[in-house]
């Protein structure tokens, strides 16, 4: 039986908008983290281009996470399956909110860090965004540490989320 993909979520599954936002963000987050984790190994002549892509992707992710959270408020996700234990439901909600928090904090700390270091954030190489904070070398160093720590926490949370999804798909044979 083939299900027609509906735009909105229903009581049984996520709709097209939720799925498109999910997988688009997953791809962008993967690329963003890959650039971030390898930036020190990128050849010097490509470093500025890579940082420009990294910053632009961060802004896109920031806009998408706000849109996604708004969509979630407008269009509630399907309820958890009845067979899920209470702790699994609590863990799923906690991981989703952690993901939202990290996906808001990561671009904001990156943007603030760049501003504190006195560098511009240029979106798609075209639009220079205003600085979030005044130039402050010490603040820039601190924000760089926070940004890196958040990247590690985001990576761990994404892995946890993916492992839980794979467990539900392959072991429990269910998926929303």
């Amino acid at each position: 039986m083939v299900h027609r993909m509906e735009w909105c979520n229903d009581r049984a599954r996520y709709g097209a908008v939720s799925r498109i936002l999910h997988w688009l963000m997953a791809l962008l987050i993967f690329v963003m983290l890959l650039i971030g984790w390898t930036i020190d190994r990128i050849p010097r002549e490509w470093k500025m281009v890579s940082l420009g892509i990294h910053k632009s992707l961060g802004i896109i992710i920031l806009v998408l996470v706000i849109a996604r959270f708004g969509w979630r408020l407008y269009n509630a996700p399907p309820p958890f399956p009845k067979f899920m234990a209470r702790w699994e439901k609590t863990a799923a909600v906690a991981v989703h909110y952690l993901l939202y928090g990290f996906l808001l904090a990561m671009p904001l700390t990156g943007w603030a860090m760049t501003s504190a270091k006195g560098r511009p954030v240029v979106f798609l190489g075209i639009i220079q965004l205003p600085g979030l904070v005044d130039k402050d070398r010490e603040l820039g160093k601190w924000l760089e540490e926070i940004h890196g720590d958040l990247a590690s926490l985001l990576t761990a949370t994404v892995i946890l989320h993916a492992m839980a999804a794979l467990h539900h798909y392959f072991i429990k044979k269910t998926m929303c």
Side-chain angles (χ1 to χ4, degrees):
M1 180 169 160
V2 176
H3 294 282
R4 197 178 103 217
M5 177 69 78
E6 297 293 333
W7 288 105
C8 293
N9 303 334
D10 61 28
R11 303 267 317 140
R13 66 186 45 84
Y14 286 96
V17 172
S18 294
R19 289 180 186 212
I20 289 167
L21 285 171
H22 177 273
W23 289 109
L24 176 60
M25 289 184 68
L27 175 65
L28 293 176
I29 292 162
F30 176 77
V31 172
M32 173 68 88
L33 289 171
L34 183 64
I35 293 170
W37 289 117
T38 61
I39 199 72
D40 291 333
R41 293 184 285 286
I42 293 174
R44 182 171 257 250
E45 60 271 12
W46 287 99
K47 193 170 233 170
M48 293 309 291
V49 171
S50 297
L51 280 172
I53 292 168
H54 184 79
K55 291 173 187 179
S56 292
L57 288 177
I59 299 303
I60 292 168
I61 289 170
L62 179 61
V63 169
L64 287 175
V65 77
I66 292 167
R68 189 165 174 193
F69 191 71
W71 179 251
R72 187 179 178 103
L73 291 174
Y74 168 76
N75 188 242
F80 291 112
K82 293 190 187 309
F83 65 81
M84 279 180 71
R86 184 182 184 111
W87 73 266
E88 287 178 305
K89 294 174 185 178
T90 302
V93 169
V95 166
H96 278 105
Y97 281 107
L98 281 172
L99 286 169
Y100 281 117
F102 292 142
L103 292 173
L104 284 170
M106 285 293 303
L108 291 173
T109 58
W111 187 352
M113 171 188 64
T114 302
S115 300
K117 291 182 174 188
R119 298 184 193 131
V121 173
V122 181
F123 180 64
L124 300 175
I126 301 170
I127 302 166
Q128 183 170 330
L129 302 177
L132 288 184
V133 298
D134 291 332
K135 186 175 178 180
D136 180 334
R137 177 174 240 122
E138 290 304 311
L139 177 61
K141 287 180 185 177
W142 182 75
L143 286 168
E144 185 173 9
E145 286 182 37
I146 297 297
H147 191 67
D149 291 344
L150 287 171
S152 296
L153 291 169
L154 173 62
T155 300
T157 307
V158 166
I159 290 169
L160 180 63
H161 174 68
M163 288 173 51
L166 291 171
H167 174 78
H168 278 273
Y169 188 78
F170 289 111
I171 307 296
K172 292 195 171 187
K173 306 285 188 201
T174 63
M175 199 59 146
C176 292

